[in-house]
Amino acid sequence: LRTSPLALASGFVGSSVRASDAVGTGEGTRLPVRAAAAALAAGLAGVSGRRGGRRSAAEGVIVRSAEPQMETEEVRKDGWGVAVAAVVIALGVVGAVYGLSTLLGLPLLYGGLALGIQWATFLLHGWPKRSEAFYDASGSLTHLAVAGAALLADPTRAPRQLLLGVFSIIWCTRLGTFLFNRIAGDGKDDRFTALKTSFWRFSIPWNLQVAWVFLLQLPILVVNSAATQPEVGWLDGLGWALWAAGFLIESAADAQKFAFRSVASNKGRYITTGLWKYSRHPNYFGEIMMWVGICVSASSVFSNWTWLGWLSPAFNTILLGFVSGVPMLEKAGEKKWGNEEGYKNYMKNTSCIVPWIPAPPLSDGGEAK
């Protein structure tokens, strides 16, 4: 495959799950831009075959990306296309962050922190070590730094500002710890292999992570930058309740999936118990609920252009449900279990994201009762 704008676009939108996870077998909600790396690897390096699958012995020789001669070969193969695309994406991210900060009256410090942490991690560890080990951890650290800076910008904070900031910090700390522990156990993510052959390719997912962090944190930044804070009202109560419910749902879904995968006999199978009985992606439902809840509460201070804070849950929902979250997972699941009657019944009769009435059991004849 040749480098193309379509391949870059598919990489840009990313996903919050590993591309190799199929319905019910993923390890939990992931940072969206990690799957962008998988799409970019396929688009920029021409990697084909099953996402996340094991490579052949011949391919294994090719992916020793730390060798300088391999890097030179890849640069010659791609020419300047990858470098130009990477620079365009980097400038686009910087422009979007600067533009939104200026339009919404946000301090440039927040965007600067996001850029600084991502590029520092990439330049000091990611590229020198040809390693994605700190990719997810740096994403969580960036969320923590941006939300923390917004929260601490003024020593006097209203309850709304304080709670929404704390909600964001709790969310990124839980997710970051979960993901870091997992990558520490796995050792590496094979989908980054093709990206690590080139400085410019490998820089793309780190830049995309800047955009993702900034967009998701928009309501937190707007609330903590508002000159006036209305009294706590019903919107706040509703938003806080939605966040708490979403957090519990996502945490429970992740825990149930982890427990399911810990049983040896369940290896390579899909989960249909617990919350997964009522939704094919209950962790996504919890994730969406949390950021909708934050925005509902933040709406108490939105006015004029600051209503763009709703880009946060809108972006997250579109990403998870319609771009490369659900579609990537269910495409992988179809390849794996598409011929199984039980899987067909589960997919046909179980709600995609919003928990609903579970699929009926199959009769002896293989049809839903």
Side-chain angles (χ1 to χ4, degrees), residues 88-157:
V88 168
I89 289 175
L91 292 177
V93 169
V94 172
V97 170
Y98 177 81
L100 279 172
S101 297
T102 303
L103 185 63
L104 303 180
L106 304 175
L108 295 178
L109 168 67
Y110 306 142
L113 276 173
L115 283 164
I117 293 173
Q118 288 303 296
W119 270 90
T121 309
F122 172 62
L123 293 175
L124 296 177
H125 183 269
W127 177 243
K129 300 291 186 181
R130 307 298 194 273
S131 172
E132 71 280 8
F134 293 151
Y135 182 74
D136 286 333
S138 72
S140 295
L141 177 62
T142 306
H143 274 291
L144 181 63
V146 171
L151 191 60
L152 298 174
D154 189 325
T156 304
R157 285 301 184 193

Side-chain angles (χ1 to χ4, degrees), residues 204-229:
I204 292 174
W206 303 83
N207 282 318
L208 299 184
Q209 191 147 251
V210 173
W212 177 70
V213 169
F214 190 80
L215 279 175
L216 208 58
Q217 293 292 340
L218 267 184
I220 306 296
L221 303 182
V222 169
V223 164
N224 282 284
S225 300
T228 59
Q229 290 290 325

Side-chain angles (χ1 to χ4, degrees), residues 20 37 56 64 102 108 158 179 181 188 193 220 227 230 235 272 286 332:
S20 58
S56 66
R64 298 183 185 278
T102 303
L108 295 178
L179 295 177
N181 288 337
K188 67 174 183 176
T193 301
I220 306 296
L235 280 177
T272 59

Side-chain angles (χ1 to χ4, degrees), residues 17-188:
V17 293
R18 294 181 63 178
S20 58
D21 291 342
V23 175
T25 63
E27 300 105 337
T29 306
R30 297 187 62 82
L31 301 181
V33 284
R34 176 172 280 275
L40 284 165
L44 296 177
V47 176
S48 60
R50 185 178 61 192
R51 290 185 179 93
R54 294 191 177 277
R55 302 176 183 273
S56 66
E59 287 175 309
V61 176
I62 296 175
V63 299
R64 298 183 185 278
S65 58
E67 300 177 6
Q69 62 188 45
M70 182 60 199
E71 179 186 340
T72 303
E73 181 182 334
E74 289 294 333
V75 170
R76 284 201 304 268
K77 177 182 175 182
D78 294 327
W80 289 98
V82 172
V84 171
V87 171
V88 168
I89 289 175
L91 292 177
V93 169
V94 172
V97 170
Y98 177 81
L100 279 172
S101 297
T102 303
L103 185 63
L104 303 180
L106 304 175
L108 295 178
L109 168 67
Y110 306 142
L113 276 173
L115 283 164
I117 293 173
Q118 288 303 296
W119 270 90
T121 309
F122 172 62
L123 293 175
L124 296 177
H125 183 269
W127 177 243
K129 300 291 186 181
R130 307 298 194 273
S131 172
E132 71 280 8
F134 293 151
Y135 182 74
D136 286 333
S138 72
S140 295
L141 177 62
T142 306
H143 274 291
L144 181 63
V146 171
L151 191 60
L152 298 174
D154 189 325
T156 304
R157 285 301 184 193
R160 178 185 302 108
Q161 295 172 312
L162 183 62
L163 272 178
L164 294 187
V166 169
F167 286 166
S168 177
I169 290 170
I170 290 174
W171 167 80
C172 71
T173 301
R174 186 199 78 86
L175 185 59
T177 302
F178 179 79
L179 295 177
F180 180 76
N181 288 337
R182 185 166 61 193
I183 192 64
D186 294 343
K188 67 174 183 176

